[in-house]
């Protein structure tokens, strides 16, 4: 009688119907994750990222979904009473001995499995009706960032919390994630994320582990944004799933295909970005990405303009140098380390009977008897008996225009 008069208190409020307006109604219970995931707005209506994703999924697949929310205790009660068809927000993959589903057999659906429909069909034909009704099918739903919150204005690091006391919300997905042994800490459980941050500000723990956006929003509402600092970038991604109950393999497959299509089309990312930008403007959003892309484009244009200006100045300098060298009466020939001609002025072209086309060719082939390769290898000046009577100028290893060894005079016809 007491239980009837005073039922177990949950989040309150009526369910919200989303998706298709016709057909059978499927009841989906959303585990409390707070804003921006699932919460009740000022009018008492369910809102958040979960609601938008499930609403889009229902419209896409022609499903009429009745959404309600509550904590893990209320979820267990509804599961065992058979009042709901699915649970959104459970850990994925879900362990067989999950606290929510208890003794019920759990099958996690792999997104990479192309033969999933065949496997589910074989499973449903192999099991009896009663056995199939007890099955739970879980599939990926959303990846939520989680982070550590530290007291004070400066955030520490994950290594500083090893062996220390970390505050978590009791029966939360973040508690279950941290209990898996990802970091050896001592857990101190509080009733809700709000009491977790209040206890952290009061100095009852060395850190707190919460959903990143959820914790940031609560700290702002509490006026403790300056006293509590989240660790950035967020070190953890908690994979959340949606579990289909009562062995409804056809519904699980429909959810699976619908969510996969939404993911590939970028619809889930657009929903996520919209809620993230509303509750946490400093986190990456599409608007910020476009702003950064515009700033990057301006920087790129400035760099290209500077590069073109520099290239033009270098071209002018090179042309002026060539003009100066052409006015020198002495013949000047420059070769590189491989003995190829890199520059030849007008006097040298006249004296040696060469043209501009000789630039880039081997000097020994253009001027027989020059022995440029031997001079470069030995570093000893040499005279020729063919068309050059004295030692010519050759480029040194440290200068494009050089004399190898001691100056040996000028070239002559």
């Amino acid at each position: 009688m007491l239980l009837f008069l005073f039922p177990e208190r949950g989040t309150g409020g009526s369910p919200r119907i989303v998706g298709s307006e016709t057909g059978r109604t499927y009841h989906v219970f959303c585990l409390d994750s707070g804003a921006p995931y699932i919460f009740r707005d000022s009018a008492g209506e369910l809102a958040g990222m979960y609601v938008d994703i499930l609403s889009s999924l229902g419209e896409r697949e022609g499903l009429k979904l009745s959404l309600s929310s509550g904590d893990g205790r209320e979820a267990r009660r509804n599961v065992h009473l058979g009042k709901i068809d699915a649970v959104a927000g459970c850990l994925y993959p879900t362990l067989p001995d999950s606290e929510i589903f208890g003794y019920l057999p759990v099958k996690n659906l792999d997104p990479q499995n192309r033969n999933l429909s065949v496997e589910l069909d074989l499973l449903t034909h192999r099991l009896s009706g009663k056995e199939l009704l007890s099955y739970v099918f879980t599939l990926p739903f959303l990846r939520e960032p989680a982070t550590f919150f530290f007291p004070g204005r400066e955030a520490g690091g994950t290594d500083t919390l090893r062996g220390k006391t970390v505050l978590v919300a009791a029966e939360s997905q973040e508690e279950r994630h941290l209990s898996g042994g990802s970091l050896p800490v001592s857990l101190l459980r509080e009733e809700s994320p709000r009491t977790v941050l209040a206890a952290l500000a009061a100095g009852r723990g060395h850190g707190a582990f919460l959903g990143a956006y959820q914790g940031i929003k609560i700290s702002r509402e509490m006026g403790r944004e300056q006293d509590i600092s989240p660790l950035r970038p967020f070190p953890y991604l908690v994979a959340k799933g949606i579990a289909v109950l009562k062995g409804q393999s056809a519904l699980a497959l429909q959810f699976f295909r619908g969510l996969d299509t939404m993911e590939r089309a970028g619809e889930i990312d657009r929903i996520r970005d919209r809620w993230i930008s509303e509750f946490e403007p400093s986190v990456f959003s599409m608007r910020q990405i476009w702003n950064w892309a515009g700033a990057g484009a301006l920087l790129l244009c400035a760099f290209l303009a500077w590069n073109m200006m520099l290239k033009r100045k270098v071209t002018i300098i090179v042309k002026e140098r060539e003009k100066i060298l052409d006015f020198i009466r002495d013949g000047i020939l420059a070769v590189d380390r491989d003995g190829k001609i890199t520059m030849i002025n007008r006097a040298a072209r006249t004296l040696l009977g060469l043209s501009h086309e000789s630039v880039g060719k081997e000097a020994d082939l253009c001027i027989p008897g020059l022995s440029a390769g031997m001079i470069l290898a030995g570093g000893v000046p040499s005279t020729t008996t063919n068309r050059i009577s004295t030692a010519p100028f050759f480029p040194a290893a440290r200068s494009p225009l050089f004399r190898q060894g001691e100056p040996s005079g000028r070239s002559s016809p």
Side-chain angles (χ1 to χ4, degrees):
M1 179 67 69
L2 290 175
L3 288 175
F4 178 77
L5 293 175
F6 302 98
E8 188 175 2
R9 188 172 64 180
T11 57
S14 58
R16 178 173 176 178
I17 306 298
V18 298
S20 176
E21 296 180 356
T22 60
R24 175 187 169 183
T25 301
Y26 293 96
H27 299 274
V28 180
F29 187 91
C30 301
L31 286 168
D32 280 339
S33 294
Y37 301 107
I38 184 74
F39 63 99
R40 291 195 178 272
D41 57 18
S42 57
E45 188 132 345
L46 280 175
M49 199 182 302
Y50 282 17
V51 175
D52 286 356
I53 292 175
L54 290 170
S55 177
S56 179
L57 174 65
E59 292 174 1
R60 181 181 292 273
E61 297 296 321
L63 298 170
K64 186 178 180 181
L65 304 176
S66 174
L67 307 184
S68 59
S69 69
D71 57 17
R73 183 175 52 181
E74 192 172 358
R76 287 196 300 273
R77 179 171 175 270
N78 282 286
V79 167
H80 294 303
L81 290 177
K83 292 184 177 181
I84 54 178
D85 298 290
V87 177
C90 57
L91 280 178
Y92 177 85
T94 302
L95 298 176
D97 56 348
S98 168
E99 294 182 14
I100 295 177
F101 307 115
Y103 62 87
L104 299 178
V106 175
K107 181 174 178 57
N108 297 297
L109 307 185
D110 183 5
Q112 306 299 325
N113 188 357
R114 297 182 179 180
N115 298 319
L116 182 60
S117 59
V118 177
E119 288 188 9
L120 288 178
D121 188 57
L122 291 174
L123 178 66
T124 54
H125 282 83
R126 189 172 68 247
L127 299 174
S128 65
K130 187 176 180 180
E131 289 176 325
L132 185 61
L133 285 175
S134 65
Y135 255 78
V136 177
F137 301 103
T138 64
L139 54 143
F141 181 65
L142 195 65
R143 295 176 69 87
E144 301 177 13
T147 190
F148 289 103
F149 291 81
F150 293 85
R153 296 190 176 184
E154 293 186 5
T158 54
D159 290 338
T160 62
L161 293 174
R162 290 183 178 275
K164 302 293 182 63
T165 301
V166 175
L167 294 154
V168 293
E171 296 189 359
S172 66
Q173 302 302 309
E174 287 73 28
E175 177 196 352
R176 294 184 179 89
H177 180 78
L178 205 58
S179 299
S182 58
L183 186 69
V185 294
S186 175
L187 295 181
L188 181 60
R189 295 166 179 82
E190 292 288 335
E191 183 180 355
S192 67
R194 187 174 293 272
T195 57
V196 165
L197 293 182
L200 180 65
R204 292 183 55 192
H206 298 91
F209 187 63
L210 294 171
Y213 308 136
Q214 177 188 27
I216 291 171
K217 182 176 185 298
I218 293 175
S219 65
R220 289 180 176 179
E221 291 176 348
M222 295 172 60
R224 297 295 188 118
E225 189 177 1
Q226 301 299 323
D227 303 326
I228 298 173
S229 303
L231 177 61
R232 296 177 183 271
F234 305 140
Y236 294 98
L237 278 175
V238 181
K240 298 294 183 70
I242 183 168
V244 178
L245 308 172
K246 306 175 185 177
Q248 301 180 80
S249 58
L251 179 61
L253 196 58
Q254 198 169 3
F255 276 8
F256 187 91
R257 288 173 177 169
L259 289 170
D260 183 62
T261 303
M262 290 172 62
E263 183 72 35
R264 292 176 184 274
E267 190 172 352
I268 292 180
D269 288 336
R270 286 192 292 270
I271 294 173
R272 183 191 292 112
D273 291 338
R274 184 168 68 249
W275 281 102
I276 288 174
S277 62
E278 179 179 349
F279 285 92
E280 178 48 50
S282 62
V283 181
F284 298 134
S285 63
M286 289 304 298
R287 180 178 298 177
Q288 288 178 314
I289 292 174
W290 280 114
N291 291 339
W292 292 336
L298 289 176
L299 289 174
L300 180 61
C301 291
F303 174 77
L304 292 176
W306 174 81
N307 190 34
M308 292 176 63
M309 187 184 305
L310 181 62
K311 186 176 180 180
R312 183 179 178 183
K313 289 183 178 180
V314 171
T315 303
I316 293 173
I317 293 172
V318 171
K319 289 183 177 179
E320 289 178 351
R321 187 199 68 166
E322 291 178 351
K323 289 180 180 178
I324 293 172
L325 292 174
D326 282 343
F327 279 105
I328 297 176
R329 295 178 60 186
D330 292 336
I332 300 177
L333 174 73
V335 297
D336 59 15
R337 296 175 183 271
D338 298 325
K340 294 182 179 180
I341 299 174
T342 58
M343 190 279 299
I344 181 170
N345 69 344
R346 183 185 302 171
R349 291 197 301 271
T350 303
L351 292 170
L352 300 174
L354 301 176
S355 63
H356 272 297
E357 297 178 357
S358 59
V359 175
K361 298 180 180 179
E362 292 188 13
D364 288 340
L365 297 178
C366 296
I367 310 171
L370 185 62
S371 303
M374 182 180 66
I375 298 173
L376 289 171
V380 180
S382 174
T383 59
T384 63
T385 59
N386 188 8
R387 301 177 65 186
I388 302 177
S389 58
T390 59
F393 292 106
F394 295 104
R398 286 173 289 182
S399 174
L401 297 175
F402 69 93
R403 300 176 179 87
Q404 192 76 19
E406 296 295 332
S408 56
R410 299 180 177 178
S411 60
S412 59

